[in-house]
Amino acid sequence: MTVTGESLEEVEALATESKCRVKSWMQNAKLQIAHHKMEILLVSNRRAVQHVGITVGEHIITSKRELKHLGVMIDNRLKFNGHVDYAFEKAAKAISALFRIMPNNFGPSSSKRHLLGSVSSSILRYGGPAWITVLQTQCNKAKLRSTARLMAIRVVSAYWTISAEAACVTDRIIPIDITLMEDYDCYRQKEVRGIRKLMRAESMAKWAKGVQHDTET
């Protein structure tokens, strides 16, 4: 449920009114709200952190600074920095588990390693079009790349000293930040036929240009 208002009082009033409507509809449908599971997020551009609260049954629900919705961490500034940390930790756990079945000296074949490696990539890419703005900061971009590097190293059975760029080139994996931008462009132009193929060509061009720049540097 989403409500908007010019003041905290208006937001609280609209949220309470909407809550009552939802509760009434659910009672008519012979359903009940799990009051203790409800969460509130107040999104505001005000410098000072603000809070609202509404009464639901016997519970007073107070707004949080961050919550998870459909697998994406959303904060009260819509910066999504928390989601990067969340995805980083979740992907790291998956990589740690895969390490035990993907040792450098033996284990799955190259094709199977690529398939297993796609697990961490899927975790990092999940919901990308919603939080793509995090790539505007080098810190977040570095976090995502460092996680992708861990998986690439295991897929190609490389030494830990290999760079992220070299691991991606060896593994033929486009850097995660470029892939996320590709996902975003595909989402924006999803009505265009064959858009994934077109965006993949652009991603390859960006990657090649970046590798050439790093080589010259």
Side-chain angles (χ1 to χ4, degrees):
M1 182 175 68
T2 304
V3 299
T4 59
E6 296 295 331
S7 64
L8 292 178
E9 292 75 17
E10 183 180 2
V11 169
E12 289 180 340
L14 290 173
T16 300
E17 179 184 350
S18 300
K19 177 263 299 183
C20 291
R21 291 185 179 182
V22 172
K23 182 179 179 180
S24 176
W25 180 91
M26 294 189 72
Q27 287 178 339
N28 292 332
K30 297 182 179 181
L31 299 172
Q32 290 184 342
I33 297 176
H35 299 158
H36 63 288
K37 291 185 177 180
M38 292 188 66
E39 295 179 300
I40 299 176
L41 179 71
L42 178 64
V43 179
S44 172
N45 59 3
R46 300 284 180 86
R47 178 170 299 179
V49 177
Q50 298 176 303
H51 297 280
V52 295
I54 63 172
T55 301
V56 182
E58 299 179 353
H59 300 266
I60 298 178
I61 312 299
T62 305
S63 59
K64 297 182 175 181
R65 300 189 66 172
E66 186 178 67
L67 60 79
K68 182 168 69 172
H69 179 62
L70 298 178
V72 177
M73 300 301 297
I74 307 175
D75 59 271
N76 60 348
R77 303 296 187 190
L78 296 182
K79 298 293 185 181
F80 295 101
N81 292 319
H83 181 76
V84 174
D85 294 331
Y86 169 74
F88 176 86
E89 293 178 5
K90 189 175 181 180
K93 289 180 180 179
I95 293 171
S96 178
L98 290 172
F99 272 10
R100 292 191 287 271
I101 60 175
M102 295 173 62
N104 278 351
N105 297 331
F106 57 91
S109 63
S110 177
S111 59
K112 291 180 179 178
R113 284 175 176 269
H114 276 86
L115 180 61
L116 292 171
S118 65
V119 173
S120 63
S121 177
S122 297
I123 293 174
L124 294 176
R125 293 170 62 184
Y126 179 77
W131 51 268
I132 193 69
T133 52
V134 300
L135 294 182
Q136 294 175 357
T137 64
Q138 290 299 322
C139 178
N140 288 329
K141 188 183 295 186
K143 286 181 180 179
L144 292 170
R145 280 203 169 193
S146 65
T147 307
R149 170 182 171 274
L150 291 177
M151 195 70 254
I153 288 175
R154 187 56 63 184
V155 170
V156 300
S157 301
Y159 291 107
W160 288 104
T161 53
I162 190 173
S163 66
E165 292 76 13
C168 287
V169 170
T170 304
D171 195 23
R172 302 184 303 280
I173 296 178
I174 300 174
I176 187 65
D177 52 308
I178 296 179
T179 302
L180 284 168
M181 285 302 303
E182 177 185 316
D183 291 341
Y184 175 66
D185 290 334
C186 289
Y187 173 77
R188 286 194 306 114
Q189 305 177 64
K190 53 182 178 293
E191 70 283 354
V192 178
R193 188 174 183 179
I195 188 61
R196 175 61 70 174
K197 185 176 181 180
L198 294 173
M199 292 299 100
R200 178 51 55 90
E202 287 193 12
S203 295
M204 294 297 291
K206 291 179 183 177
W207 186 23
K209 184 178 180 180
V211 171
Q212 183 181 8
H213 175 74
D214 292 339
T215 302
E216 292 175 352
T217 302

